[in-house]
Each structure stands twice: as structure tokens, then as C-alpha cells.
Amino acid sequence: MLRFLLSFAVAMTLATSVSAACLGQDLRLGLTDAQRAEIDTRVEATPYAVGNHWTATKGDETIHIIGTLHLDDPRLDAPVARITPLIESAGVLLLEATKEDQDRLQRQLAADPSILMMQGETLIDLMPPEQWQALADAAKSRGIPPFMAAKFQPWYLSLTLAMPSCMIAEMREGQNGLDSRLNKIADAAGVPSQSLEDFMTLFKIFGQEPIEVQIRMLSAGVLSDEDSEDQIATTLASYFDEQVAESWQMSRVLAPQFSTLPKDEIDAVFDKLEEELLNKRNRAWIPVILEAADAHDAPIVAAFGAAHLMGDDGVLNLLAQQGFTLKRQPF
């Protein structure tokens, strides 16, 4: 189940790439009437549930807010062409992590392997043999040697197994999602870019649970490569339909069919991850955004994973609470 949610997180909050080699099916087409109704009800209750490009204005301050996709996709070409003039005339581009900070992160990971790798005992030692074998098979199907997967931190193995093999292969080719493209445009135009948070933030969030809890989540169900492809395809389709809340809520509604955990525990995991992965970070970003808007005479651009736009504690609603007027723009 954690992998089901993380397949969404990979697309909306983490940097990687994917190509047409991933040929999954849009899961929205196979929803039951009951599932569709529950998702629609949840979406209707979500502020700013749709739209990937908004402006927030207050007095003489203008903030262009772009919900990004961290996956590469040729359908990004048209939005990039429309957004480019905004970047080139901006006072600053705010990103979850600039290219400079991403490079710093890679150096940090190289210097401290314990961030991603277990020290001492491995998952082979800590899991029942039949559970480990299911994970080993899933890792092998994605081109990851089981002996190496056994050394991964449980949260990191969950994250890795959320990705289909086609995506893992493409990761080696580099990053060219929307964030990366906008960063390159800003650099070429001489527009400064700034990170919204410390580059280790996500790693601290994913690694904060006790190892026993991480292993329980890891053991709760192994997604097939085909299921992973379907989930990524669904996330992409929802993104380009500008249906951000729909994608998130569908992950919640469909999660029980991919997990051995009871529904109340699944709901608790979703609530906690939504608070840690989205809401807390959104609240921490608002002062950074406001300070940047105040410091520049020109409009600024804030671009981050689209999941951060929606909800009571989404960036858009938080800005509205600060007195900004929000207006949806063409994407």
C-alpha cells in the first residue's frame, strides 16, 4: 500500500524521469461506480482541486504558482512554451530544490551512505523469509539485485518498488521534468533560482519512522511491475487533465485493494503522510514565498509538485488566507 501512494509521490514530489517506454493504463477508466462517487465526493470537498497554473495577487505583488510534474513527458513541451516568458521576466524562481541543491544532495548521499542504506543487519535478517522473497522478486523484476535491495532502508526500498522497471531504466538518463526545465530557462535568462526548503527535507520525512514500522509498511503488499506502470500512467493522465486532487484521492480510495493492512490503518497512514509530505512543508514554504514576493519588484514564480496546490493546507489556500486573490491561469 505504501508503494501505491509513493508511486504518486514519485511523480508529484520527487525528481526522476520517465518516457513512452512506460505503457500503463489509466486506472480511472476502470473505476466502479462506488469508487468514482467516493473520489468525486472527496474532490468536491477539496479547495483548489483543479488547475496547474494560478496567480496570487495582493497590492503590487504577483506570484505565479505552477504545479509541476517531476517526470519527463513530451506533453510538457506546450506548457513550458507558455511559461517561459513568465520565467524570463521573473524576479526569482522558487523551486523545491534548485539544480545546485540537487547536486549538493548527491554529494551528501555519496558522503553518507547510511541515509539510504542499512548498516549492519539487512532486510533478509529482519523479515520473515516468505515476505523477503516477495520483495526480492519485485526488486529483481526491476533490475535491482536482491542482495543490494536487502541493504536499502525500508522506506527507500518502498519508494524504489513504487517505480516500474521502465522508469528505473530512464532514471539513469537524467532529469527533465517541469522543475528541471524551468530551472534551465531561469539560468539561461539570468533569473536567480532559490530552493523552498533544505535539500534533505524529504529524506528526513521518509526516514523518520522506526525501522519496525517501515518494515510493516514494506510488507503490506508487493505491487507488480504492471500495477506500478498503471499507477504512473494514471498520475500522468490526471496531471495533464489538471485534476490534481482527483489523483491524490484516487490513491486513497484504491489503496485497500493493494494492501493487507486493515482500512483504518491505511487511512491513518494516508493522513500522516499527507500531513508530513504535503501540509507541513506547505506551511513552511509560505514565509519563504512571501519574503521573495516582498523582495522583488517584478512578479515571482513558485514552481513545485502539483499535489502541494490543493487542500485546506495547500499553498493556494494558505495564500488566500494571507489576503491574496487567486485566479486560475491557462497551463
Side-chain angles (χ1 to χ4, degrees):
M1 184 277 296
L2 183 60
R3 279 179 292 284
F4 184 82
L5 179 55
L6 287 178
S7 67
F8 178 85
V10 165
M12 295 304 200
T13 64
L14 301 177
T16 182
S17 62
V18 69
S19 76
C22 291
L23 300 174
Q25 302 299 309
D26 187 344
L27 294 173
R28 296 178 299 174
L29 303 178
L31 293 172
T32 67
D33 290 343
Q35 289 170 335
R36 182 75 264 177
E38 182 177 356
I39 292 166
D40 289 346
T41 298
R42 290 179 175 276
V43 170
E44 288 172 5
T46 304
Y48 302 101
V50 299
N52 292 340
H53 178 193
W54 293 75
T55 52
T57 57
K58 181 181 179 182
D60 58 358
E61 294 180 347
T62 298
I63 308 168
H64 285 275
I65 303 160
I66 311 295
T68 65
L69 179 75
H70 302 314
L71 307 178
D72 191 14
D73 191 289
R75 288 171 289 183
L76 287 172
D77 292 348
V80 167
R82 286 188 285 270
I83 296 169
T84 293
L86 303 177
I87 301 296
E88 293 176 336
S89 61
V92 66
L93 170 64
L94 301 178
L95 298 163
E96 290 180 61
T98 63
K99 178 60 166 63
E100 180 181 2
D101 274 348
Q102 290 180 35
D103 291 342
R104 291 173 63 199
L105 171 61
Q106 294 304 314
R107 292 194 294 271
Q108 180 70 21
L109 295 177
D112 184 5
S114 68
I115 297 171
L116 300 181
M117 310 297 287
M118 300 180 67
Q119 308 299 302
E121 290 183 308
T122 70
L123 292 174
I124 296 174
D125 306 311
L126 298 174
M127 299 181 69
E130 66 278 6
Q131 291 182 0
W132 164 247
Q133 188 57 53
L135 292 171
D137 291 343
K140 189 174 181 180
S141 74
R142 289 159 171 80
I144 304 169
F147 79 89
M148 180 62 68
K151 299 177 183 179
F152 288 174
Q153 295 280 355
W155 69 264
Y156 183 57
L157 184 56
S158 284
L159 184 62
T160 303
L161 296 183
M163 296 182 283
S165 56
C166 57
M167 181 185 292
I168 293 174
E170 288 297 317
M171 285 177 67
R172 302 184 181 96
E173 301 300 321
Q175 301 172 5
N176 201 35
L178 184 53
D179 314 69
S180 178
R181 295 190 191 198
L182 299 185
N183 203 160
K184 292 173 184 174
I185 293 166
D187 287 346
V191 173
S193 57
Q194 175 186 336
S195 295
L196 285 161
E197 63 189 7
D198 182 88
F199 62 86
M200 287 297 297
T201 298
L202 277 173
F203 290 83
K204 293 175 182 176
I205 291 172
F206 284 125
Q208 68 184 352
E209 293 290 348
I211 196 75
E212 297 82 6
V213 175
Q214 292 186 41
I215 290 176
R216 176 167 170 73
M217 296 297 103
L218 181 61
S219 306
V222 178
L223 291 178
S224 69
D225 207 34
E226 181 179 357
D227 285 337
S228 295
E229 285 199 40
D230 288 345
Q231 290 162 22
I232 293 297
T234 305
T235 297
L236 290 168
S238 295
Y239 176 79
F240 287 106
D241 287 343
E242 301 191 58
Q243 298 290 332
V244 180
E246 177 190 65
S247 188
W248 183 266
Q249 298 300 345
M250 188 169 68
S251 294
R252 180 186 283 266
V253 170
L254 295 186
Q257 72 189 53
F258 293 95
S259 175
T260 60
L261 296 177
K263 187 177 184 304
D264 60 344
E265 189 169 347
I266 291 174
D267 288 339
V269 171
F270 266 83
D271 289 342
K272 181 177 178 61
L273 195 53
E274 184 171 348
E275 175 64 16
E276 297 292 333
L277 188 63
L278 297 179
N279 297 342
K280 281 187 178 180
R281 296 169 69 207
N282 295 343
R283 293 191 290 267
W285 292 352
I286 293 299
V288 180
I289 295 171
L290 295 180
E291 182 178 354
D294 186 58
H296 295 275
D297 294 331
I300 71 167
V301 177
F304 42 75
H308 294 276
L309 298 174
M310 63 177 188
D312 292 321
D313 287 294
V315 169
L316 296 174
N317 202 47
L318 293 175
L319 286 173
Q321 292 173 5
Q322 293 288 327
F324 282 82
T325 298
L326 278 297
K327 183 177 180 180
R328 186 178 175 185
Q329 302 293 339
F331 178 69

